[in-house]
Amino acid sequence: MRLIQLIDDAGESRVGVIDQDGARVRLLESSRTTYALATAAILANRNLEQQAAQEQGDESLDYAELLREGRVLTPLAHPDPAHVRVTGTGLTHLGSAAARDAMHQSLADHANAGTLTDSMRMFQWGMQDGIPRQGRPGVQPEWFYKGDGSMVVAPGQALPSPDFALDGGEEPELVGLYLIGPDGTPHRLGFAVGNEFSDHITERQNYLYLAHSKLRACAIGPELRTGPLPRDLRGTSRIRRGDTVVWEKPFLTGEDNMCHSLENLEYHHFKYAAHRRPGDVHLHFFGTSTLSFADGIAVQPGDCFEIDLPALGAPLVNPLRTVAAGFMLGGVRPL
């Protein structure tokens, strides 16, 4: 099932189910947000599809018009953005078969020379032990924090890059959407496509700057896909500058293209008790292997990122905008 959150003709938040041909969105009658829908499903001991089927009404809207008018929201949010944790894992993807072979060779060369970097070593750990075996967790991945729900930008809206940033580049990724139940159990509502958006120049200066580079906005959606995913997911990431496509490249995701299983990544995120607080929402990026920055592309304000992963519905499109950071040296006031 494909779900979206939207603003209806009366200006109210609603939840809708996209029909099979992707043209119309049938509105739910009871739950006005995906958060409310998921909460009702947990309390009724139903899955999200069953709960949505219970609530479907007769009213429908044109999906393309909703997207064109900017009325599609992020597919999952919390009434209080402070109760959303936006996080991610890196060094999780293999990339294409050719890149994988090259990576294996590089690993061997560096290992033999005794020059394996920390990042390459962590990638190697994932290659060797990123999938649970015999009921035991695999190796833990690289993990990072992006912010709370205020960092999430809706489909079609501008991705704000602070004026102190050295770069603002796309990262096309699969995102897991979760709600923590009343008893502390994480519930996966489904998956969405996301643009994790990072400062790659800052990260390149020193890998210890990774945490700084990730504290940026991100975009997720427009759709939430319920149920199991195909193991092999293929999409296209592109950057438009006006009417010109200045960069375009296919990307791979899904477990067939990853060195960690989703189960392993979820375990290492939710093993921390602080990540299982009842009522909280988690939006977790699972990593990527394709970046325009790696191909020497320098984005400009006004450039438009387009991440198209057909198995997860309509493309995620967001322009880039530079914004004032709103804080200066000496801005802390002593009391």
Side-chain angles (χ1 to χ4, degrees):
M1 181 177 282
R2 297 161 60 189
L3 295 168
I4 63 169
Q5 289 193 123
L6 61 109
I7 301 298
D8 68 10
D9 293 341
E12 300 293 330
S13 175
R14 300 290 293 274
V15 181
V17 178
I18 301 170
D19 62 19
Q20 288 190 342
D21 64 7
R24 304 290 297 180
V25 179
R26 188 174 296 276
L27 302 185
L28 303 189
E29 292 187 329
S30 302
S31 298
R32 293 287 172 144
T33 65
T34 312
Y35 183 85
L37 179 70
T39 300
I42 293 170
L43 294 177
N45 198 29
R46 300 187 182 111
N47 64 35
L48 203 60
E49 291 186 15
Q50 292 168 337
Q51 187 65 35
Q54 289 274 331
E55 298 190 20
Q56 280 197 56
D58 296 326
E59 184 182 0
S60 70
L61 298 172
D62 182 85
Y63 188 24
E65 184 176 323
L66 290 171
L67 287 168
R68 186 168 56 251
E69 294 179 353
R71 292 164 57 189
V72 178
L73 308 174
T74 297
L76 176 63
H78 191 286
D80 178 359
H83 284 276
V84 178
R85 298 196 186 194
V86 187
T87 55
T89 41
L91 302 174
T92 55
H93 280 62
L94 301 167
S96 67
R100 187 185 314 175
D101 290 341
M103 179 66 78
H104 289 173
Q105 183 62 47
S106 179
L107 280 168
D109 291 346
H110 283 291
N112 291 335
T115 59
L116 205 61
T117 65
D118 287 341
S119 294
M120 293 290 279
R121 187 176 294 111
M122 184 170 284
F123 180 82
Q124 185 179 47
W125 292 344
M127 290 286 296
Q128 294 172 345
D129 196 23
I131 298 174
R133 294 181 176 87
Q134 299 178 337
R136 301 186 62 179
V139 67
Q140 60 188 358
E142 175 191 68
W143 183 95
F144 57 84
Y145 173 72
K146 284 194 70 67
D148 64 16
S150 66
M151 308 299 291
V152 183
V153 172
Q157 301 304 305
L159 275 164
S161 182
D163 53 14
F164 60 75
L166 303 180
D167 172 57
E170 87 298 332
E171 294 200 13
E173 301 191 25
L174 182 67
V175 186
L177 286 66
Y178 305 88
L179 173 61
I180 310 301
D183 64 353
T185 299
H187 294 264
R188 186 200 311 122
L189 280 60
F191 298 93
V193 67
N195 184 348
E196 196 252 295
F197 190 67
S198 299
D199 185 339
H200 300 106
I201 294 179
T202 292
E203 179 183 351
R204 185 178 63 180
Q205 289 178 331
N206 188 301
Y207 76 95
L208 294 177
Y209 281 160
L210 175 72
H212 285 282
S213 75
K214 297 298 186 183
L215 291 173
R216 300 290 187 272
C218 62
I220 297 171
E223 302 177 23
L224 185 163
R225 172 181 167 146
T226 63
L229 279 177
R231 292 185 60 87
D232 181 24
L233 292 167
R234 295 168 182 258
T236 304
S237 181
R238 62 181 62 91
I239 299 173
R240 297 184 187 272
R241 187 168 295 159
D243 295 330
T244 303
V245 175
V246 296
W247 178 85
E248 180 177 85
K249 199 166 189 176
F251 70 93
L252 304 174
T253 189
E255 289 187 308
D256 281 353
N257 303 298
M258 299 171 67
C259 56
H260 286 265
S261 69
L262 295 177
E263 179 187 33
N264 194 55
L265 298 177
E266 289 176 332
Y267 166 74
H268 285 295
H269 178 73
F270 289 112
K271 68 185 180 184
Y272 299 104
H275 289 181
R276 301 193 306 274
R277 185 169 59 189
D280 279 4
V281 164
H282 289 249
L283 306 174
H284 190 79
F285 287 83
F286 287 114
T288 190
S289 60
T290 304
L291 307 171
S292 64
F293 179 78
D295 291 338
I297 300 297
V299 294
Q300 302 174 8
D303 286 355
C304 197
F305 302 112
E306 183 177 311
I307 299 174
D308 188 4
L309 191 59
L312 272 73
L316 174 62
V317 180
N318 299 92
L320 174 65
R321 177 168 59 98
T322 299
V323 298
F327 191 77
M328 299 183 68
L329 184 67
V332 175
R333 295 182 181 179
L335 287 179

